[in-house]
Amino acid sequence: ESDKDNAWLKRKDEALALLEYYHPDFFGVQEALAEQMSDIKTGLKNYDFVGVGRDDGKEKGEFSAIFYDTQKLKIVKSGTFWLSETPEKPSKGWDAALNRICTYAIFKDVKSKKEFLALNIHFDHVGNVARVKSSELILQKAKELNPKNLPLVLTGDFNLTEDSESVKILSKNLKDTY
């Protein structure tokens, strides 16, 4: 209700039309609720998603999911971890205001058979320690998930500017395509 003109019901059709027009092989969402996840999945042809709600590891809370074109990409492995000291279970980390998550997928391109790792995040909007620790955790998890050193794509809402410590940590280890 507080979104008024930006409420999902008022922008859903335009958002879906834009996604259909550009038809990306995959894309990440942040702040998506279960209803929006359902609308996107049913509104786009041949798309599915990986990801869970941040509050219960199922449907509750916001998703930082990855949608993908099922005709172009297949899932090799996927999952979600929490940006916290206990990444294996729903949790709030360090000085964060809210639970935050990273969804990942190793995809295999149907045609080329090449694989890559995609990660999608939503960093906390308050906790500076949480954002720094989240950057470090993402790099650690990426190494664990990616022993073959596959190409890696990290997308998300970082709630940061490029001069912040957290982005610098990521930029030292990953190429910033912005």
Side-chain angles (χ1 to χ4, degrees), residues 6-26:
N6 290 322
W8 176 243
L9 286 176
K10 292 186 179 182
R11 61 188 166 95
K12 175 176 76 169
D13 292 340
E14 284 182 21
L16 291 172
L18 191 66
L19 287 165
E20 196 58 62
Y21 178 79
Y22 285 105
H23 204 90
D25 290 356
F26 73 97

Side-chain angles (χ1 to χ4, degrees), residues 54-80:
R54 69 184 183 190
D55 293 339
D56 67 351
K58 295 176 188 138
E59 295 278 317
K60 283 195 168 86
E62 295 176 355
F63 287 67
S64 292
I66 302 171
F67 279 86
Y68 64 99
D69 182 334
T70 59
Q71 306 293 295
K72 293 182 178 179
L73 301 173
K74 297 296 175 206
I75 298 281
V76 175
K77 179 181 181 178
S78 68
T80 298

Side-chain angles (χ1 to χ4, degrees), residues 29-31 100 120-124 155-160:
V29 298
Q30 298 84 36
E31 298 185 21
R100 299 295 183 169
N120 186 51
I121 58 90
H122 187 188
F123 277 9
D124 198 65
T155 59
D157 179 349
F158 295 87
N159 273 317
L160 293 165

Side-chain angles (χ1 to χ4, degrees), residues 6-172:
N6 290 322
W8 176 243
L9 286 176
K10 292 186 179 182
R11 61 188 166 95
K12 175 176 76 169
D13 292 340
E14 284 182 21
L16 291 172
L18 191 66
L19 287 165
E20 196 58 62
Y21 178 79
Y22 285 105
H23 204 90
D25 290 356
F26 73 97
F27 62 93
V29 298
Q30 298 84 36
E31 298 185 21
L33 299 173
E35 172 195 356
Q36 293 167 305
M37 295 296 296
S38 176
D39 287 346
I40 295 168
K41 185 176 175 183
T42 57
L44 296 176
K45 190 177 175 206
N46 300 324
Y47 277 90
D48 201 353
F49 71 88
V50 295
V52 296
R54 69 184 183 190
D55 293 339
D56 67 351
K58 295 176 188 138
E59 295 278 317
K60 283 195 168 86
E62 295 176 355
F63 287 67
S64 292
I66 302 171
F67 279 86
Y68 64 99
D69 182 334
T70 59
Q71 306 293 295
K72 293 182 178 179
L73 301 173
K74 297 296 175 206
I75 298 281
V76 175
K77 179 181 181 178
S78 68
T80 298
F81 60 89
W82 278 258
L83 301 176
S84 76
E85 298 93 330
T86 53
E88 67 286 347
K89 65 182 182 186
S91 50
K92 184 167 60 169
W94 306 285
D95 61 347
L98 300 164
N99 289 358
R100 299 295 183 169
I101 54 178
C102 176
T103 301
Y104 66 86
I106 295 176
F107 289 109
K108 180 180 268 192
D109 184 282
V110 172
K111 282 187 185 163
S112 72
K113 307 296 185 216
K114 290 183 178 174
E115 295 181 358
F116 66 95
L117 172 62
L119 302 107
N120 186 51
I121 58 90
H122 187 188
F123 277 9
D124 198 65
H125 64 299
V126 173
N128 284 320
V129 173
R131 291 190 292 244
V132 169
K133 294 289 188 187
S134 293
S135 291
E136 293 168 352
L137 180 62
I138 285 162
L139 292 171
Q140 175 197 325
K141 288 284 192 182
K143 277 188 183 139
E144 290 170 17
L145 294 166
N146 193 10
K148 294 189 214 170
N149 201 26
L150 301 169
L152 181 154
V153 180
L154 173 62
T155 59
D157 179 349
F158 295 87
N159 273 317
L160 293 165
T161 56
E162 62 189 54
D163 59 346
S164 67
E165 185 181 357
S166 301
V167 171
K168 285 178 181 172
I169 290 167
L170 293 170
S171 296
K172 267 189 237 164

